[in-house]
Amino acid sequence: MFRVNAGLHSSAQPLGGWEAPDCELRGHYAGGHYLSACALMYASRGDEDLKKNADTVVAELGKCQAALKSGYLSAFPIEFFDRLRERQEVWAPFYTIHKIMAGLLDMYIYCGNEQALDMVQKMAGWAADYTGSLSYEHMQRVLGTEYGGMGEVLSNLYAITGNSYYLEAAQRFDKKAFFDPLAAHRDELKGLHVNTHIPQVIAAARYYELTGECRYRDIAEYFWEEVMSERSYCTGGTSNRESWNTDPGKLSTELGPSSTECCCAYNMMKLTRHLFGWSPDARLMDYYERLVFNHRLGTINPEDGMMMYYLPLASGYWKTFGKPFESFWCCTGTGSEEYAKLTDTIYFHGDDSLFVNLYIDSQLDWPEKGLRFKQETRFPEEQGTTISVSGKSPTQLAVNLRIPYWAKGGSVKVNGTAIPAFSSPSSYLTLTRVWNPGDKIELSLPMGLHMQSMPDDQTIQAAMYGPLVLAGRFEPVAKEMSYGPYGPKSGEQRNVPDITADASKPTGWIEPDPKQSLTFQSVGQSQPLTLVPLYKVIHERYAVYWKVNEKSALMSGHVV
Ligand SMILES: [Zn+2]
């Protein structure tokens, strides 16, 4: 479609779904997310074949851009931008342009593709001309149509080139009606489309990093806090039917087959990384871990790599995955990128400090320090981790280990000797010493059962074990139901029994299955239930939130 749009001959069979010849977002995946995913995978794994594929795509897109002459590059006609300017109906042209620009920029950053940098600068020049020709008020109206991370990618281009022209263009994408209430710490998110707006806050975070303007930091931090504490479910996910439909803290009525969209998790994780870079607070990484283990793990089908759109959180629904050539949703794109950078954020570092944020089997090379850290764990199957140090010479360093919010105590040993101190949940335990090759840290983080209630209805509860959201697992769905549209339809859920629990022991109705790890059985319920981590449920109907009725004193035999 890129070639067709550029007037070049093509004999290719077009892709389907959101890449189809009649879809107004066409090109977002093939010319955008695909490049980002290949570049990130190359950075993670050094996969030369993927790099070669992506280099080929860049070179071919370069021919299309040259044929189009103005710097514009897209798989749809430039006339879409006339419709955008005239405020006629059009899906989201700048959203798609952002994906292509980000893909090209990633190809330059991670794969050193100079042609990609040249191409993205030409695209930026075109975008700057288009936006620069509109009055401020006119541009604000244009921003009423979803535009992805245009502010972010143009800022990143400024960061790389030092050309302030790109930063000026980036800030034309500041939507005043969205930023002003956030700067004043007012939650006016009700009624907004979620995934349209998170990327705008990521852009604000980037502006703060590049300009030092505190207003932007304030916007980003207030927004994160509000979404995390008032608008997120137990998985860390946010959005219902793609939007925030309620006042803050009102979530119990917002459970459906379309809560929650995967792109929102991807973008909130991206925002969280920026905030952590400014101030390394363990709460940020507690939230990040929640998303990694509950909303990212298990939303890609381990059998065939297909991605999900919505992760339904109303009880009795099931997971629906895309089809290889007929979907190409927004979430297919962000999912491809996410799974190409699962190594991201496990570690952060300062000049003389290392933050171990996530417990994931991995290896960190830190060439500037001449050090290598090898983390060995089967987490979350294992309740802890072992980190060994290797390298050239002894180095003074503060190693910060995240003690998660869910930790039920815990302990740490260095070279086999227990350290008498520990840290409270949701903080970092700092081990400052001269680290020698051969040193070993053993961290134990016991998990326990706990319940998370809806903020506005204490009787609707989800069970968790350590960081893991547990799902009641019901009967499998037919294979064709696992692949198809964005998600199940409202009303297609199965009935799920209510739970009866003792108010003094809210997790008393669940006990671990001694025969299977991370598997739990119900106790004393109307029907036996098996609970497993949500990420392990792929083809079955499931329930995350339960209606919990308190056992009366009489029934439980207690004398009050
Ligand atoms: Zn999406």
Side-chain angles (χ1 to χ4, degrees):
M1 291 317 298
F2 279 94
R3 288 183 65 86
V4 169
N5 187 53
L8 303 172
H9 171 73
S10 173
S11 58
Q13 169 85 28
L15 300 170
W18 290 15
E19 285 291 310
D22 61 349
C23 180
E24 291 195 342
L25 296 187
R26 59 189 180 268
H28 76 113
Y29 190 93
H33 291 296
Y34 177 74
L35 291 181
S36 290
C38 288
L40 290 162
M41 199 57 138
Y42 179 70
S44 276
R45 310 272 309 175
D47 188 322
E48 294 289 344
D49 284 345
L50 279 180
K51 178 176 178 293
K52 222 165 90 186
N53 287 354
D55 283 336
T56 303
V57 172
V58 171
E60 291 300 316
L61 289 176
K63 291 176 193 168
C64 300
Q65 191 181 35
L68 287 164
K69 293 193 171 69
S70 59
Y72 179 75
L73 172 62
S74 172
F76 53 71
I78 201 163
E79 285 72 28
F80 281 28
F81 283 91
D82 297 336
R83 284 155 60 189
L84 183 72
R85 190 195 301 109
E86 302 310 319
R87 309 308 298 134
Q88 294 162 356
E89 199 168 327
V90 64
W91 193 342
F94 267 127
Y95 170 92
T96 308
I97 294 296
H98 160 242
K99 306 306 167 216
I100 300 166
M101 290 180 71
L104 291 169
L105 203 54
D106 286 340
M107 281 302 293
Y108 170 71
I109 294 169
Y110 299 112
C111 301
N113 188 315
E114 294 281 348
Q115 186 189 358
L117 179 63
D118 178 58
M119 286 166 65
V120 70
Q121 291 194 78
K122 286 180 178 146
M123 289 183 79
W126 172 83
D129 283 350
Y130 177 91
T131 54
S133 72
L134 305 178
S135 70
Y136 178 79
E137 288 73 22
H138 193 163
M139 186 63 195
Q140 289 296 309
R141 289 197 295 278
V142 164
L143 299 183
T145 303
E146 183 172 11
Y147 54 93
M150 281 301 294
E152 182 206 5
V153 72
L154 287 163
S155 304
N156 286 338
L157 195 54
Y158 160 67
I160 286 166
T161 61
N163 187 345
S164 58
Y165 173 71
Y166 298 130
L167 185 63
E168 276 169 43
Q171 289 177 309
R172 286 189 205 125
F173 288 90
D174 284 21
K175 196 198 286 178
K176 187 173 162 40
F178 176 52
F179 279 179
D180 279 358
L182 292 173
H185 291 201
R186 287 199 314 271
D187 181 333
E188 294 184 3
L189 303 176
K190 181 177 172 178
L192 296 184
H193 181 263
V194 177
N195 199 45
T196 292
H197 289 88
I198 306 170
Q200 297 176 33
V201 183
I202 296 170
R206 204 61 192 113
Y207 302 149
Y208 165 68
E209 289 166 0
L210 296 169
T211 67
E213 266 187 62
C214 290
R215 172 181 149 91
Y216 287 126
R217 176 173 177 160
D218 204 35
I219 285 170
E221 289 184 328
Y222 173 74
F223 174 87
W224 184 89
E225 194 67 44
E226 203 60 16
V227 172
M228 189 278 291
S229 62
E230 301 292 328
R231 297 183 176 279
S232 295
Y233 302 85
C234 57
T235 53
T238 188
S239 79
N240 183 25
R241 301 186 309 277
E242 307 208 358
S243 298
W244 291 301
N245 307 299
T246 55
D247 291 326
K250 300 272 182 278
L251 284 176
S252 63
T253 52
E254 285 297 291
L255 287 170
S258 309
S259 49
T260 44
E261 188 189 346
C262 290
C263 283
C264 302
Y266 165 92
N267 276 315
M268 282 304 291
M269 286 164 70
K270 199 168 183 180
L271 177 63
T272 303
R273 285 182 209 118
H274 286 279
L275 269 61
F276 190 82
W278 312 334
S279 178
D281 183 341
R283 287 174 71 237
L284 293 160
M285 287 301 152
D286 282 346
Y287 167 76
Y288 194 97
E289 177 189 63
R290 213 182 251 276
L291 284 165
V292 168
F293 286 98
N294 299 304
H295 200 133
R296 299 326 333 246
L297 204 56
T299 56
I300 186 168
N301 190 324
E303 293 147 22
D304 54 24
M306 292 295 103
M307 279 99 182
M308 292 178 70
Y309 197 118
Y310 299 122
L311 175 61
L313 289 182
S315 297
Y317 289 101
W318 66 94
K319 293 183 176 180
T320 314
F321 299 92
K323 295 178 183 172
F325 299 104
E326 294 163 47
S327 301
F328 296 109
W329 309 317
C330 50
C331 299
T332 316
T334 49
S336 301
E337 291 187 32
E338 195 88 85
Y339 274 75
K341 58 173 171 180
L342 289 175
T343 50
D344 200 325
T345 309
I346 300 174
Y347 306 97
F348 262 65
H349 74 84
D351 291 341
D352 296 300
S353 59
L354 175 69
F355 289 84
V356 184
N357 298 321
L358 297 171
Y359 299 114
I360 294 178
D361 200 270
S362 55
Q363 183 171 297
L364 171 72
D365 293 319
W366 194 352
E368 295 84 355
K369 293 275 180 212
L371 286 176
R372 174 175 288 181
F373 292 83
K374 192 170 169 53
Q375 185 179 171
E376 289 170 286
T377 179
R378 292 186 305 112
F379 188 95
E381 300 278 344
E382 178 185 342
Q383 302 189 7
T385 193
T386 303
I387 300 166
S388 38
V389 186
S390 59
K392 292 195 197 86
S393 53
T395 305
Q396 167 91 19
L397 196 66
V399 174
N400 301 282
L401 306 170
R402 185 174 59 93
I403 308 306
Y405 74 97
W406 48 260
K408 302 272 181 220
S411 59
V412 66
K413 286 181 194 169
V414 175
N415 297 332
T417 305
I419 305 289
F422 205 64
S423 285
S424 32
S426 209
S427 70
Y428 280 88
L429 172 66
T430 305
L431 303 172
T432 304
R433 52 180 274 151
V434 175
W435 296 93
N436 292 294
D439 281 352
K440 189 193 261 190
I441 303 167
E442 291 166 273
L443 176 66
S444 157
L445 292 170
M447 295 178 188
L449 283 165
H450 53 110
M451 304 301 291
Q452 183 162 335
S453 312
M454 278 291 181
D456 55 330
D457 187 345
Q458 297 296 305
T459 69
I460 299 177
Q461 300 178 4
M464 297 186 70
Y465 185 65
L468 307 174
V469 169
L470 300 180
R473 179 148 69 182
F474 297 98
E475 66 280 2
V477 294
K479 189 150 193 224
E480 58 274 18
M481 287 167 72
S482 292
Y483 297 91
Y486 310 142
K489 289 194 189 69
S490 195
E492 292 182 322
Q493 72 272 32
R494 90 189 289 288
N495 282 333
V496 165
D498 286 2
I499 295 298
T500 308
D502 192 330
S504 65
K505 196 166 186 299
T507 61
W509 63 277
I510 312 166
E511 60 184 25
D513 184 332
K515 293 193 283 292
Q516 300 175 73
S517 88
L518 297 181
T519 303
F520 301 82
Q521 305 294 346
S522 64
V523 184
Q525 301 305 311
S526 57
Q527 67 180 75
L529 299 166
T530 299
L531 292 93
V532 296
L534 176 59
Y535 70 79
K536 290 195 175 191
V537 180
I538 302 295
H539 295 302
E540 295 92 0
R541 290 175 183 267
Y542 60 87
V544 165
Y545 280 102
W546 309 90
K547 174 77 182 169
V548 178
N549 303 310
E550 274 182 18
K551 229 186 261 185
S552 76
L554 195 64
M555 277 169 65
S556 62
H558 292 162
V559 177
V560 179

